[in-house]
Structures are given as structure tokens and as C-alpha cells.
Amino acid sequence: MKTKSIFLSLVCLLILFINSCNLFKENPVKAKNGMVVSASEIASNVGVEILKKGGNAIDAAVATGFALAVTYPQAGNIGGGGFMVIHLANGKSTTIDYREKAPLKAFRDMYLDSAGNYIPKLSQTGVTSIGVPGSVAGMIYALEKYGTISLKEVIQPSIDLAIDGWKLNKWNKEHFEYYKDEFKKYSSSFKTFTNNGRLYEEGDIFKQPELASTLELIKEYGNDGFYKGIIADLMIKQINKYGGYITQEDLDKYKPVERKPIIGSYRGYKIVSMPPPSSGGIALLEMLNTLENYSFDKNDWGGSDYVHKLVEAMKYTYADRTEYLGDPDFFSVPKDKLISKKYAKTIFEKITDRATPSNKITHGKFTNFKESKETTHYSVYDKFGNAVSVTTTLNSSFGSRIVVEGAGFLLNNEMDDFSSKPGEPNIYGLLGSEANSIQPEKRMLSSMTPTIVLKDEKPYLVIGSPGGSQIITAVLQGILNVTDFKMNIKQAIDAPRFHNQWLPDKIFYEKDTFSKSIKNELVSLGYSFEEEKLDKRKIGMLAAILINNKNIFGAFDKRGPGKAVGY
Ligand code: DON
């Protein structure tokens, strides 16, 4: 009897120990001076080293951005584009738009056949899907205007990583393997992502000498090292070889744009986010403004009523996204209306206690949702009080899958983010209207939502995510988990998520998000669910920093391979 009870006590102790280990795992990384959170531990370290040397958050963000192009090639990039939201310690907020642009030779119906049918593969893959890259120009602009150290210093660690190589992790290995057949289509891509034709293994050292040479030229000549000379020639040669559209004139004309952030408030917090050509900031605020009309109790989280309110706010917002959002340089976006509290009140008033069928919100075609691919978000905070939130992308994993021969970097397939034909969904099942139709030099609409939440005018939360159309709802839930449900930042970003994008009229959700009874309650309210690929479904992958009482807490989503590194 006695031995049995000792045994039971030991078992209990063991369970307690395991639980406390798990709880421990749930804790964010804590630091006093600065923090970088990215999808690659190596890249986060590169950023933190810059902070330690006295660089500010912008210096560290640019260093991390270049490092991600080396150590997270499926999304980190120099051949794609991105958005950077900055909040400076002096109180100024700004954003830098380095989204790709449609080439000068682009035209509205470029992805339609002679009968007017949309040919998805033209906008989604290969040279025809490539937008004029913006990342290099955008990062250099940020560094020159808001950084404090030289391009040479911020780019050198990435050059070293590309020359000396770095150890592939499981995630890298699996991604290289998954896309091997795509890489086979282009000898330059196959050469880059295989070990002399064989698959790389976890732990192998991955070297990228051609990418290193490209980065050297950027280090030496800045923008001219990329948009002119040898690299530009190689890029254009590669694109022309397969019948693409980009010319030297496109590269000469590319300029990043500094834009005023989208600013709003939610329960006393100030929200600073990305304006068009991202739909992220506007959509995030439209949902937050709508939800502010409710008050949530701690116990509401995850219940059917909570899910119902969020999903309805998502539905109305994504319907507006489809209709009203596009590049503001080409289309007049009714921004002020969409982010006004008054407008949100009209949405709130339309929400009943049952699901509103999407086709009652506005007309649209039902579409199938495709699995999202890769983008990457990183968050930076420095000891001076500057915060930087960056989301950058090639669009799909490895973009167009085309590595520029001799230059070692991947080109994006961002043209698919345009609405190629009104009513036809893109890779994320998103619909669009005239607002996002293709025009030469226009920027394609994005969902990327790099965001900084301020409390008492000081950075409180730096957050963002990949995930295509699901980015905005992932960021929304990450924020709500902190502001309304007081979760620590690790729990807030790891918690299960769901998503609705108006069309299709279904709730997407991660495995284990809903219990059977919650699901039944939602069904009785009129909802249906998207069950396909539930086992593998991930809704976003948040990278966040929370600053509280002089402590800096960082966390990377359990859904991905990244790391928060602080000092
Ligand atoms: O800009 C956009 O919204 C998309 N190109 C982002 C793609 C993306 O997030 C894929 N990642 N998971």
C-alpha cells in the first residue's frame, strides 16, 4: 500500500514537472535592452549583434532583412518586396512601401487567353508572374533615412553567411525537398537548392557564393549594385530567356515610397499599421473598430459567441477589401471611411445573433481556398525605444522559383496578387475588383499587416505574420489575445486561430481550435467549416515583441522555426 502511494506521488511529481516544463516553454524570451524576432534564429542573431554594437532598430531590421534572404530563402528576399512600419522614440511613426510593381509592359488582360479566360499559371508561376523587385531599394531607403550605421556594416554578416555557409535546419531541408520538382524547371534554381543534384540533409552546410557576390555589389554600389550593371543584366537576361516582361527601364524607375501609416485606436491603444497598397492596416482597424462595440470577458475566449462576433467582423471587412482596396497611386481608396468608428458602428449594427450569409453582404463568386505559402515577418525593438515591424515576401514559397543565373537570388511571383480578372480568385482565393486590376507600374494589393501597437504613445506590441489572406485575421487575434485576454505574448501568438474572408462563406480553422460542442453551436448559428487539410493547416505565423514596464518580451509562433533573440 505504502509503495503504491509513494509510486503515485512520484507519478504526480513527474506530471507536475512535465507540466511546468511545458508552461516554461510557453514563456516569451525576456530582455532588457533590445530584441529581434524572426523566422530564422541566425537572422535574429545578426540583428541583435547590430543592436549590441549600438545600431538602432532600423539598422537591425535591415541587417535582419538581408540575413533572411540568405538563411530563410523561401521568403526572406532581395528579389521580392515588403513593408516596414517604424515608430521612432521621438514619437514619429512612418511606413516604407517597397512593394513590387507591375512592369511597364504589363496590361490589364495579360493573364487571359484570347477567349478572355483566366490562365492562373501565368500569374502564379514562371517569369510572367514576376513583379519589379523592391526589397533592396526599400531597405536601403530605410537605412539611409532612419538608420545610423553604414550599409557595409549591416550587409557584411549576410555576405559572410552566404560565403561560409550555415547549417540547414529541418525546416529548410523539408522546404528544399518539397519544391525540388519546381526547382528542376530552372537549372539555376536546381543548382542552388540541391547539393550537386542530391537533396540537402538537415545539418548540411549551405553555401551561396553567387548570392554572396550579389550582396557584395549591393554593399559596394548600393541600389546601383542591384538595379544597374551586372546584376540587372543577369536578371533581365534570365527573365527574357523565358518570355517575361521586366526591362532595364523598370529597374531604373523603381522607387520605394514613404507613406503615412494607417492610425487608429482600440480600447485606448493606438494602432499604427500599413496603408495601401496593403489592405492590412485598413482591414485590421475595420475589424478592431467593429469589435470595440462589444466588451469581451476573459471567459468569452474561444466560445461560439466570440467566434461569431469575430467572423462577422471579418466577413464585412473582407467584402470591403475586395471592393475598395488597391494601389492608392492608381485608385482612390476610401480610407478614412473604412477606418472610421462611425462606419464600424454600421457594421456592428448589421451583425445579428446568427451568421450572415456572405452572399447577403454583397455579390461575389464562391471560390475554393488554396493553402497559403510563404512570406515572413520580423519585429525589432531597440534600447532607444524605436520599434520596427517588417513583413516581406516573394509571395509563394520561393516565389517564382526562379533563381537568377549567376546572381543566386530568387525572383518573386507577386503579380498574382493583382486581380487578373474580376471575379476570379488568386492563389489565396481572394477576389478583387477594378481597384486592384493590372496597370503598368501599379503595385498589387497585399494583405501584409506589419503593425505597432502603442500604449501611452510608446511601443507596446510589435507584431505581424505571413499567411496570404489569413495574415490580417492572424494579426487581429494576436492583438486581441493581448489587449482583451491578457495572455503573455507567447501564449497570445501560439493560441489556435480561425479565419473567414467573406468568400468562401466558411470558417477556416486550425486543428483543435473548436471542441465538438462549440462547433455544433456555430453550426446552429448558420456557419459551415472548411475541413480540408485540417491536419496541416496553419493560420499565420506571428513574430511579436511586447514591451511592458521596461521589460522586453519576444516570441515566435510555435507554428514555425523562428526565434526571439534579446539581450
Ligand atoms: O502580399 C500579400 O498579401 C501576399 N503576397 C503574401 C503572401 C503570403 O503571405 C504567403 N505566406 N504565407
Side-chain angles (χ1 to χ4, degrees):
M1 196 60 200
K2 202 170 166 202
T3 2
K4 198 175 165 195
S5 68
I6 291 175
F7 175 71
L8 278 176
S9 313
L10 280 175
V11 170
C12 286
L13 274 175
L14 188 66
I15 290 171
L16 270 175
F17 175 69
I18 291 170
N19 275 342
S20 68
C21 287
N22 279 338
L23 278 179
F24 185 67
K25 261 205 231 150
E26 297 299 308
N27 283 338
V29 172
K30 187 172 161 186
K32 282 283 178 200
N33 294 296
M35 178 84 68
V36 179
V37 187
S38 84
S40 150
E41 183 172 5
I42 302 172
S44 298
N45 275 318
V46 165
V48 166
E49 284 309 311
I50 295 285
L51 292 180
K52 284 184 183 166
K53 277 191 199 160
N56 71 8
I58 294 88
D59 299 320
V62 174
T64 306
F66 279 115
L68 284 166
V70 180
T71 62
Y72 196 70
Q74 58 266 50
N77 68 82
I78 54 173
F83 298 126
M84 183 179 289
V85 176
I86 300 173
H87 181 82
L88 297 172
N90 67 12
K92 174 180 168 159
S93 293
T94 189
T95 76
I96 299 162
D97 160 4
Y98 43 100
R99 182 70 161 164
E100 298 91 327
K101 288 171 74 168
L104 286 157
K105 283 190 193 162
F107 55 99
R108 194 181 189 283
D109 296 340
M110 63 194 280
Y111 301 125
L112 308 186
D113 66 14
S114 52
N117 299 312
Y118 169 49
I119 316 163
K121 75 168 195 269
L122 289 181
S123 70
Q124 292 175 6
T125 57
V127 283
T128 49
S129 68
I130 305 170
V132 184
S135 290
V136 172
M139 289 194 283
I140 291 178
Y141 178 95
L143 189 70
E144 285 177 350
K145 183 142 182 202
Y146 296 106
T148 59
I149 61 179
S150 68
L151 179 60
K152 288 190 169 51
E153 275 177 278
V154 298
I155 211 171
Q156 191 60 47
S158 302
I159 297 174
D160 296 343
L161 280 165
I163 293 176
D164 301 338
W166 48 279
K167 236 187 216 179
L168 291 173
N169 62 28
K170 189 161 170 274
W171 183 275
N172 303 126
K173 174 220 151 36
E174 285 174 1
H175 275 71
F176 290 4
E177 189 171 346
Y178 188 81
Y179 290 98
K180 67 175 188 306
D181 291 337
E182 290 286 306
F183 296 143
K184 270 190 194 148
K185 293 183 193 159
Y186 307 96
S187 55
S188 46
S189 310
F190 191 68
K191 190 175 81 189
T192 304
F193 294 110
T194 61
N195 196 352
N196 294 315
R198 277 178 297 111
L199 285 173
Y200 272 110
E201 295 299 330
E202 183 181 348
D204 281 352
I205 300 296
F206 182 53
K207 296 184 181 180
Q208 300 165 89
E210 290 180 350
L211 176 59
S213 310
T214 301
L215 294 172
E216 279 283 1
L217 287 168
I218 298 172
K219 175 177 111 176
E220 232 23 74
Y221 303 106
N223 281 320
D224 287 355
F226 184 80
Y227 291 95
K228 292 189 193 303
I230 306 170
I231 301 305
D233 288 349
L234 289 170
M235 221 183 317
I236 287 162
K237 194 168 137 205
Q238 179 88 11
I239 292 170
N240 285 345
K241 185 167 156 188
Y242 298 97
Y245 296 93
I246 296 175
T247 63
Q248 181 60 50
E249 196 184 353
D250 287 309
L251 299 179
D252 289 341
K253 288 186 85 172
Y254 188 85
K255 292 264 174 310
V257 184
E258 186 163 357
R259 299 185 191 273
K260 272 196 193 143
I262 287 290
I263 294 191
S265 68
Y266 178 70
R267 302 196 203 282
Y269 297 93
K270 189 163 172 183
I271 311 291
V272 182
S273 192
M274 196 64 209
S278 183
S279 58
I282 290 182
L284 176 67
L285 264 172
E286 192 175 328
M287 292 188 287
L288 286 171
N289 285 339
T290 305
L291 294 168
E292 202 177 36
N293 291 287
Y294 301 104
S295 63
F296 295 123
D297 182 77
K298 215 172 172 155
N299 302 322
D300 293 339
W301 193 88
S304 58
D305 189 50
Y306 174 71
V307 176
H308 165 64
K309 286 167 178 156
L310 261 67
V311 168
E312 293 299 289
M314 291 173 185
K315 241 185 239 177
Y316 281 97
T317 299
Y318 275 75
D320 285 341
R321 180 197 189 279
T322 309
E323 193 59 27
Y324 299 120
L325 292 181
D327 181 348
D329 298 341
F330 287 74
F331 182 85
S332 164
V333 176
K335 177 187 92 184
D336 295 338
K337 176 185 167 183
L338 293 172
I339 63 168
S340 74
K341 301 272 182 203
K342 207 167 138 199
Y343 178 62
K345 188 88 187 190
T346 66
I347 297 179
F348 164 73
E349 278 160 3
K350 284 189 219 157
I351 298 175
T352 65
D353 51 8
R354 290 191 56 78
T356 314
S358 292
N359 60 4
K360 289 275 179 309
I361 292 179
T362 189
H363 297 294
K365 201 172 149 200
F366 284 75
T367 67
N368 286 320
F369 176 82
K370 311 258 177 46
E371 277 290 283
S372 72
K373 303 288 188 297
E374 286 287 345
T375 289
T376 193
H377 178 84
Y378 54 104
S379 296
V380 184
Y381 184 73
D382 69 22
K383 65 179 177 194
F384 312 107
N386 302 299
V388 180
S389 190
V390 183
T391 315
T392 182
T393 190
L394 291 162
N395 194 21
S396 299
S397 228
F398 303 99
S400 62
R401 322 258 155 78
I402 301 174
V403 169
V404 177
E405 180 85 60
F409 67 92
L410 281 155
L411 290 162
N412 66 83
N413 64 335
E414 216 73 58
M415 289 294 283
D416 188 57
D417 275 348
F418 277 116
S419 168
S420 296
K421 185 180 177 184
E424 294 282 347
N426 77 349
I427 221 167
Y428 306 106
L430 284 169
L431 296 168
S433 66
E434 210 44 56
N436 189 31
S437 63
I438 306 173
Q439 289 178 58
E441 296 202 84
K442 190 172 173 181
R443 285 160 150 89
M444 52 298 275
L445 184 62
S446 172
S447 300
M448 294 190 285
T449 315
T451 299
I452 300 174
V453 178
L454 308 179
K455 190 176 173 185
D456 305 326
E457 295 296 320
K458 296 260 181 304
Y460 176 61
L461 184 56
V462 188
I463 191 165
S465 176
S469 55
Q470 304 179 336
I471 292 174
I472 319 169
T473 54
V475 172
L476 170 78
Q477 290 167 82
I479 293 176
L480 293 177
N481 288 346
V482 170
T483 54
D484 291 52
F485 299 99
K486 310 296 172 215
M487 294 183 197
N488 79 35
I489 191 62
K490 179 68 177 148
Q491 291 160 346
I493 67 175
D494 281 355
R497 292 191 275 266
F498 51 90
H499 167 80
N500 176 284
Q501 58 184 48
W502 173 53
L503 292 173
D505 192 357
K506 286 186 189 301
I507 299 178
F508 295 85
Y509 64 105
E510 296 176 320
K511 197 169 168 245
D512 301 330
T513 304
F514 303 132
S515 65
K516 230 188 165 119
S517 63
I518 301 272
K519 245 180 116 178
N520 287 340
E521 283 169 33
L522 287 164
V523 169
S524 71
L525 296 179
Y527 289 105
S528 57
F529 298 88
E530 173 59 56
E531 308 282 356
E532 200 193 327
K533 293 193 190 148
L534 204 48
D535 270 350
K536 291 209 178 114
R537 183 177 298 151
K538 287 176 186 156
I539 294 184
M541 197 194 285
L542 294 164
I545 297 175
L546 189 139
I547 305 103
N548 207 1
N549 292 332
K550 300 217 177 335
N551 285 316
I552 309 166
F553 299 96
F556 195 86
D557 206 311
K558 68 170 185 192
R559 295 161 182 82
K563 273 274 174 336
V565 180
Y567 79 107

